Amino acid sequence: MFYHVRELQYRSKPDCPDPVYARKLQEVLGGQFGEISVALQYLFQGWNTRGDGKYRDLLMDTGTEELAHIEMLATMIARLLDGAPDVELDEAAQNPVVAAILGGSNPQHAIVSGLGAMPADSVGNRWTADYIIASGNLLADFRANLNAESQGRLQVCRLYEMTDDRGVKDMLSWLIARDTMHQNQWLAAIRELESKENIVVPSTFPRNLEKQEVAYTLFNFSDGNASAEGRWAHGPSMDGCGMFNYVEHPVPFGKRPKLRPAPPYIYNTPLFAMRNSDDFPDPSMK
């Protein structure tokens, strides 16, 4: 069960309106790695955890906090849109400064959302549930969470450098710090599960059912051998269950495929048209 309190988790007030920056800030609200994504990702992972315990609590705690971050960003975006200049296009054409502001702002902030935040990214793409991962395997999910927090913190740090507004920087500084904690907590949870399960997901698939002869092989499919110099090419595997090896010149394991013709009613390209040019040489080349 959730309940809402009127206070924000952290203050969210800019020094000055800035509709152009409001558009930029939409990315970490409704983008692929924005707060809507991580909030729902963690909550669905928590709801889908079969069994109570610390991992479920960790997910629910963090997902609920991310809802608070959505509220903070939505409030900041609305305040950045307060007092946005209401000018006609013909006036903008005569004023390059105003034209630049209009060109960088999102007109939907006025037309669609009434000077409020939207569940969309910085270029107007609507948020989609395709962004979230909740597989039921906590080790796999925690790794996805670590990536989400890494990408999210990277974007917030970039946004921090894109403004001189002290109020905006103050809020972003809070979010950056929380992303630091979240990266650390997911990494701690990953390490704990790895110590119990090993590092390969899923850990319960029978090893005798996989082709062990290639389970720790790096195939070279590049020009040169630079990849052979890495830790992943030689020595004990990271899971401790094999030895890395490097194949400089990979060979095929399967034969050239030959597919049967499709039935006539499928109307695929006819076989005679698929033959090599040698079968029907160009008369002009004789």
Side-chain angles (χ1 to χ4, degrees):
M1 183 174 69
F2 294 86
Y3 66 93
H4 178 260
V5 296
R6 293 183 178 88
E7 292 79 16
L8 296 174
Q9 186 187 27
Y10 189 76
R11 55 182 173 264
S12 180
K13 188 174 183 180
D15 291 342
C16 302
D18 187 342
V20 176
Y21 194 82
R23 176 180 183 176
K24 296 176 182 178
L25 208 56
Q26 283 282 164
E27 189 63 37
V28 291
L29 174 64
Q32 181 179 1
F33 301 107
E35 300 291 355
I36 296 176
S37 294
V38 290
L40 289 178
Q41 179 158 305
Y42 303 160
L43 291 175
F44 270 96
Q45 288 174 5
W47 290 325
N48 293 343
T49 298
R50 296 179 178 269
D52 292 325
K54 60 183 179 181
Y55 298 127
R56 180 185 175 94
D57 264 12
L58 179 63
L59 286 162
M60 298 305 296
D61 287 344
T62 313
T64 303
E65 180 183 1
E66 302 295 9
L67 293 177
H69 295 174
I70 295 172
E71 185 176 27
M72 288 165 56
L73 283 166
T75 301
M76 179 64 79
I77 289 171
R79 286 173 168 170
L80 286 167
L81 294 169
D82 281 345
D86 183 16
V87 297
E88 299 295 334
L89 291 180
D90 56 352
E91 179 185 348
Q94 301 171 15
N95 187 330
V97 175
V98 175
I101 292 175
L102 285 177
S105 62
N106 184 350
Q108 289 193 332
H109 274 151
I111 301 169
V112 177
S113 63
L115 302 182
M118 298 183 296
D121 66 15
S122 56
V123 293
N125 297 314
R126 290 300 190 259
W127 183 86
T128 169
D130 292 338
Y131 293 155
I132 71 172
I133 294 172
S135 71
N137 184 296
L138 288 177
L139 182 52
D141 285 351
F142 289 167
R143 287 173 174 169
N145 297 352
L146 178 59
N147 176 63
E149 292 288 347
S150 301
Q151 297 290 342
R153 189 174 188 274
L154 174 62
Q155 292 181 356
V156 176
C157 288
R158 288 170 173 169
L159 281 164
Y160 184 92
E161 301 295 342
M162 294 180 185
T163 181
D164 294 322
D165 190 296
R166 293 171 301 174
V168 174
K169 280 182 174 288
D170 182 54
M171 185 201 70
L172 294 183
S173 179
W174 168 274
L175 294 178
I176 290 168
R178 295 309 298 154
D179 286 348
T180 296
M181 172 57 191
H182 294 162
Q183 286 188 48
N184 275 274
Q185 75 181 43
W186 297 131
L187 188 55
I190 289 166
R191 294 281 171 81
E192 186 171 288
L193 283 176
E194 287 177 346
S195 70
K196 298 175 181 179
E197 296 190 56
N198 210 322
I199 68 170
V200 176
V201 176
S203 61
T204 51
F205 185 80
R207 290 177 57 81
N208 63 300
L209 297 182
E210 66 174 286
K211 299 290 185 183
Q212 282 288 296
E213 61 269 27
V214 293
Y216 301 101
T217 299
L218 175 64
F219 295 113
N220 176 38
F221 291 116
S222 302
D223 183 19
N225 295 294
S227 60
E229 301 172 7
R231 169 67 178 84
W232 49 81
H234 306 284
S237 61
M238 306 310 294
D239 61 7
C241 298
M243 296 291 292
F244 286 131
N245 63 94
Y246 179 81
V247 176
E248 181 178 3
H249 301 293
V251 297
F253 286 88
K255 297 179 180 180
R256 182 176 178 178
K258 293 183 179 180
L259 303 180
R260 293 182 179 180
Y265 63 84
I266 297 298
Y267 297 108
N268 278 6
T269 303
L271 289 180
F272 71 83
M274 299 286 288
R275 293 173 182 166
N276 294 331
S277 59
D278 293 337
D279 296 332
F280 295 98
D282 186 343
S284 64
M285 300 296 292
K286 290 183 179 179

